[in-house]
Amino acid sequence: MIIILLLALWLPVTIDKILDFSAFQSGILNQPFPDLLGYILIYLLPVLEIATVATLVVSRFQKLGLTMSISLLTAFSTYIAIALLGTWEQLPCGCGSVINGMNWMQHLILNLTFLILSVWGLYLWNQQRGSKVGDDTVAGGSAKRRL
């Protein structure tokens, strides 16, 4: 269920960046950081988001997908929190999709909610995988030695 909720976030925002690339590019270049960083992010963010979606979909790579989701949401949430502290006089939103209609506080709450979901998903992933390790090993034997 957590994977589905994360896909409900990452799919639309990723598709929006790709379909309306010029608006995304303009939004990023209007942010209060150096243009060089903006040009890097214009291409890096969609690639990272596509990779996040792809790894969340393939069960073998879901741990990586959850980790990528945590990383991206942490970065985005940190940026928004710094903005909310009044670091910059004016801060245009370079976001698309549903997020575009939100104010900065709503955006931060949304990001933190999905960040918590991502962390919880990673925790559950580790719990599920951890509980299966060694289930069919010989007592006192190596975890590699199976019955």
Side-chain angles (χ1 to χ4, degrees):
M1 182 64 172
I2 290 174
I3 298 296
I4 293 168
L5 291 171
L6 291 173
L7 289 171
L9 169 73
W10 290 117
L11 271 171
V13 298
T14 303
I15 290 169
D16 189 60
K17 282 180 178 73
I18 294 166
L19 293 180
D20 199 359
F21 188 74
S22 61
F24 168 65
Q25 181 178 13
S26 174
I28 290 292
L29 293 177
N30 284 323
Q31 299 301 312
F33 40 71
D35 282 349
L36 177 60
L37 178 57
Y39 283 109
I40 291 169
L41 291 175
I42 287 167
Y43 298 101
L44 183 61
L45 288 176
V47 169
L48 289 174
E49 290 176 5
I50 290 168
T52 300
V53 168
T55 54
L56 287 171
V57 169
V58 180
S59 60
R60 179 178 172 175
F61 298 109
Q62 282 179 343
K63 183 177 184 178
L64 177 59
L66 290 163
T67 303
M68 292 176 73
S69 182
I70 291 167
S71 299
L72 286 168
L73 287 165
T74 298
F76 295 153
S77 298
T78 301
Y79 179 71
I80 293 169
I82 291 169
L84 285 171
L85 290 173
T87 306
W88 303 286
E89 286 182 30
Q90 184 179 354
L91 192 62
C93 185
C95 308
S97 293
V98 173
I99 298 170
N100 193 31
M102 296 182 178
N103 66 36
W104 285 103
M105 184 55 76
Q106 292 167 333
H107 194 157
L108 180 61
I109 292 168
L110 177 79
N111 280 12
L112 292 175
T113 301
F114 278 96
L115 176 58
I116 290 166
L117 277 173
S118 298
V119 170
W120 183 248
L122 184 60
Y123 171 78
L124 291 175
W125 191 95
N126 284 323
Q127 288 295 107
Q128 289 173 347
R129 299 319 181 269
S131 66
K132 293 180 182 176
V133 173
D135 282 350
D136 56 351
T137 59
V138 177
S142 167
K144 292 182 181 177
R145 209 175 313 144
R146 308 241 181 241
L147 289 176

